[in-house]
């Protein structure tokens, strides 16, 4: 077992082992005090470029004999050494630093044994490095590349910390999962998954996956274990309901780059959970949470214009709603207001045209939520009148009214 950090091991795996892993920075006998001492590798390179006043692109271009804009990794290493010349030892670049600067510019990484190795987009690298040296500011493209690498590094670290699984181990496990399921069907993975679904519910549980891949396979390899299956379950279960459908599992098992998937997984889970939340039924009229939020948005958008600016909007809205100063307004009056602002669907008496796009059920369900907030505040609710202060605070001033109501 190597003592190197997981990030370094991942970079070695992604870049390959056909480069020199003994750079000047790795050798104590070559240590020196030079320009940019103690700075990150990108800043050290930029400092030397400014000091020598050379164009890194011109010095590296000769190694790209066909002007493709990319070269293999060993050639890129030689081109970089040639560009810095006598300052190559003074730069004191380590192997890990070399992998750090090369990784953002790699072409597609090999995912399976026998696939072609990666190349380095040296032209993009040289442009970004030269601009960093000339302006002392990174380009947007450069920052985007670094953010992707940082996301992969975090995903690799999280994978090891949360599950105790490395990237190569997970890749082999996923490939085995696909191969084993495929042997059970000649008509694709979906049909194979149906054989695993013993209760015929259309979804698979973690127990069914363990039984199929571990208990039911006497020759299961070492990398097929509860840890790798747990990764499969957690990554596929975007809505966190504990059950997996066929599409969810297929999308994870057949992903080409597990770390790329892991990096975007939090966003996918948040989006899936938000979608599930939006489809929840609210009230007794068959409307969803998304319908209620849309109703709130339209009312807020129309009423906020009453005051002319944000400082006067609240008082203007209250005056508009509570014309008699009683502190409440009837539900019918709220519906008339929504019709006047073309929120509620109705036929215009003058033109005969239909205006508005929300139904009475939208308004009634929203007002039911307002009544719940009113009742939770210890105020009286009769199902006919709406408390103006609560309505303005929850619908107009607040954010998501369902969060406000705890629904």
């Amino acid at each position: 077992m190597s003592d190197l950090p997981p990030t370094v091991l991942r970079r070695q795996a992604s870049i390959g082992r056909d480069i020199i892993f003994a750079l000047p920075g790795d050798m104590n006998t070559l240590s020196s005090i030079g320009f940019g001492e103690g700075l990150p590798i990108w800043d050290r390179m930029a400092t030397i470029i400014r000091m020598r006043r050379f164009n890194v692109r011109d010095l590296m271009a000769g190694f790209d004999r066909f002007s493709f804009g990319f070269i293999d990794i060993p050639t890129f290493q030689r081109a970089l050494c040639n560009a810095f010349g006598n300052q190559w030892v003074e730069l004191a670049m380590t192997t890990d630093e070399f992998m750090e600067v090369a990784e953002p510019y790699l072409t597609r990484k090999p995912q399976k044994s026998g696939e072609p190795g990666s190349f380095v987009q040296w032209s993009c690298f040289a442009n970004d490095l030269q601009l960093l040296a000339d302006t002392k500011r990174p380009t947007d493209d450069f920052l985007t590349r670094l953010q992707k690498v940082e996301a992969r590094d975090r995903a690799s670290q999280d994978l090891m910390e949360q599950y105790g699984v490395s990237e190569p181990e997970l890749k082999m496990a996923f490939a085995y999962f696909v191969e084993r399921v495929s042997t059970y069907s000649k008509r694709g993975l979906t049909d194979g998954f149906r054989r695993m679904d013993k209760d015929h519910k259309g979804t698979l549980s973690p127990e069914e996956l363990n039984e199929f891949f571990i208990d039911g396979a006497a020759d299961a390899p070492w990398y097929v274990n509860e840890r790798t299956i747990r990764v499969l379950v957690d990554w596929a279960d975007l809505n966190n309901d504990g059950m997996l459908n066929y599409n969810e599992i297929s999308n994870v098992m057949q992903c080409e780059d597990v770390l790329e998937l892991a990096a975007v997984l939090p966003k996918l889970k948040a989006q899936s959970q938000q979608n599930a939340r939006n489809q929840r039924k609210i009230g007794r009229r068959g409307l969803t949470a998304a319908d209620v939020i849309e109703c709130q948005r339209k009312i807020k958008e129309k009423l906020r214009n009453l005051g002319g600016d944000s400082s006067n909007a609240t008082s203007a809205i209250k005056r508009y709603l509570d014309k008699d100063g009683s502190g409440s307004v009837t539900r019918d009056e709220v519906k008339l207001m929504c019709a006047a602002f073309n929120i509620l669907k109705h036929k215009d008496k003058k033109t005969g045209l239909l205006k508005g796009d929300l139904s009475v059920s939208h308004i009634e369900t929203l007002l039911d939520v307002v009544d719940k907030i009113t009742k939770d505040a210890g105020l009286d609710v009769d199902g006919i009148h709406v408390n103006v202060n609560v309505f303005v605070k929850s619908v107009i001033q607040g954010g998501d009214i369902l969060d406000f109501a705890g629904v």
Side-chain angles (χ1 to χ4, degrees):
M1 182 68 67
S2 175
D3 294 330
L4 292 174
T7 300
V8 178
L9 293 175
R10 184 183 67 75
R11 285 174 174 162
Q12 285 183 349
S14 65
I15 288 183
R17 300 186 178 275
D18 53 351
I19 63 173
I20 300 174
F21 286 99
L23 297 180
D26 299 322
M27 304 176 187
N28 292 331
T29 56
L30 295 179
S31 71
S32 61
I33 299 177
F35 287 95
E37 186 75 18
L39 296 176
I41 182 59
W42 285 99
D43 293 328
R44 296 208 308 275
M45 290 190 294
T47 300
I48 292 177
I49 291 173
R50 285 195 298 272
M51 182 271 294
R52 282 187 54 196
R53 294 186 176 87
F54 67 84
N55 189 307
V56 67
R57 182 182 178 88
D58 291 344
L59 293 173
M60 297 182 70
F63 289 81
D64 185 4
R65 293 186 300 166
F66 301 104
S67 300
F68 286 156
F70 54 85
I71 51 181
D72 60 67
I73 294 172
T75 303
F76 176 74
Q77 195 175 54
R78 294 195 300 271
L80 199 59
C81 175
N82 174 77
F84 285 91
N86 295 334
Q87 277 71 40
W88 178 243
V89 174
E90 184 177 345
L91 178 63
M93 177 183 286
T94 64
T95 300
D96 188 31
E97 288 176 334
F98 171 75
M99 293 187 288
E100 177 186 336
V101 302
E103 187 174 13
Y105 300 91
L106 292 179
T107 58
R108 181 184 181 277
K109 303 178 183 64
Q111 302 297 325
K112 299 178 183 177
S113 177
E115 289 186 350
S118 299
F119 283 75
V120 182
Q121 302 172 72
W122 75 268
S123 180
C124 294
F125 164 83
N127 289 338
D128 289 343
L129 179 57
Q130 191 68 50
L131 284 171
L132 179 64
D134 293 343
T135 66
K136 299 184 180 181
R137 296 182 62 183
T139 63
D140 292 340
D141 181 63
F142 175 69
L143 292 176
T144 300
R145 291 177 183 274
L146 292 188
Q147 287 171 357
K148 288 183 178 179
V149 173
E150 289 172 358
R152 292 177 64 86
D153 287 344
R154 287 194 301 270
S156 177
Q157 185 177 357
D158 291 344
L159 182 63
M160 183 60 68
E161 290 179 353
Q162 294 182 20
Y163 305 100
V165 177
S166 66
E167 179 188 5
E169 182 181 356
L170 190 61
K171 284 182 178 179
M172 291 187 292
F174 281 7
Y176 174 84
F177 294 156
V178 174
E179 180 182 0
R180 178 161 172 77
V181 174
S182 298
T183 60
Y184 277 74
S185 174
K186 296 181 179 180
R187 291 179 293 177
L189 291 177
T190 301
D191 188 64
F193 286 134
R194 289 196 177 96
R195 295 174 179 265
M196 300 163 58
D197 184 14
K198 295 185 177 181
D199 55 10
H200 306 293
K201 291 182 178 179
T203 57
L204 297 176
S205 66
E207 291 74 21
E208 286 176 315
L209 292 174
N210 274 295
E211 181 179 351
F212 181 79
F213 290 120
I214 299 179
D215 301 336
D219 58 344
W222 63 270
Y223 46 79
V224 177
N225 49 54
E226 292 183 357
R227 291 180 289 107
T228 51
I229 290 180
R230 183 186 164 207
V231 176
L232 171 63
V233 171
D234 287 356
W235 286 14
D237 189 14
L238 295 180
N239 57 7
N240 289 335
D241 62 356
M243 301 300 292
L244 312 174
N245 62 44
Y246 306 123
N247 289 332
E248 288 177 331
I249 299 180
S250 298
N251 291 338
V252 174
M253 283 171 46
Q254 298 186 93
C255 68
E256 291 190 357
D257 191 329
V258 294
L259 286 190
E260 183 176 338
L261 174 62
V264 300
L265 198 62
K267 183 177 180 180
L268 294 177
K269 280 183 172 288
Q271 183 177 357
S272 177
Q273 291 169 19
Q274 182 63 37
N275 290 340
R277 180 181 180 277
N278 288 340
Q279 296 307 312
R280 288 180 301 124
K281 296 297 182 182
I282 303 295
R284 61 183 185 278
R285 299 176 181 85
L287 297 182
T288 65
D291 294 329
V292 176
I293 297 303
E294 176 65 8
C295 182
Q296 179 195 9
R297 185 190 67 81
K298 288 183 177 295
I299 293 176
K300 180 187 295 188
E301 182 180 277
K302 295 291 186 179
L303 294 189
R304 274 185 170 175
N305 296 325
L306 290 175
D309 57 60
S310 58
S311 61
N312 296 325
T314 300
S315 58
I317 292 169
K318 288 182 179 180
R319 288 195 304 270
Y320 180 82
L321 292 171
D322 188 15
K323 293 182 173 61
D324 59 3
S326 63
S328 66
V329 62
T330 66
R331 289 188 172 220
D332 289 339
E333 288 175 324
V334 174
K335 296 172 195 173
L336 288 173
M337 175 201 70
C338 290
F341 282 101
N342 293 328
I343 299 171
L344 183 64
K345 186 182 296 183
H346 68 286
K347 182 180 289 187
D348 188 280
K349 293 181 179 179
K350 294 182 179 179
T351 64
L353 299 176
L354 285 176
K355 295 186 177 180
D357 51 7
L358 297 185
S359 67
V360 172
S361 295
H362 285 81
I363 309 301
E364 291 283 3
T365 304
L366 178 69
L367 295 180
D368 287 345
V369 177
V370 174
D371 279 353
K372 180 184 183 303
I373 297 172
T374 305
K375 187 175 181 179
D376 291 343
L379 302 175
D380 294 334
V381 174
D382 60 9
I384 299 175
H385 295 83
V386 179
N387 187 291
V388 172
N389 287 329
V390 175
F391 180 87
V392 172
K393 185 176 181 180
S394 60
V395 177
I396 309 301
Q397 294 178 316
D400 187 327
I401 190 172
L402 297 179
D403 287 341
F404 195 106
V407 177

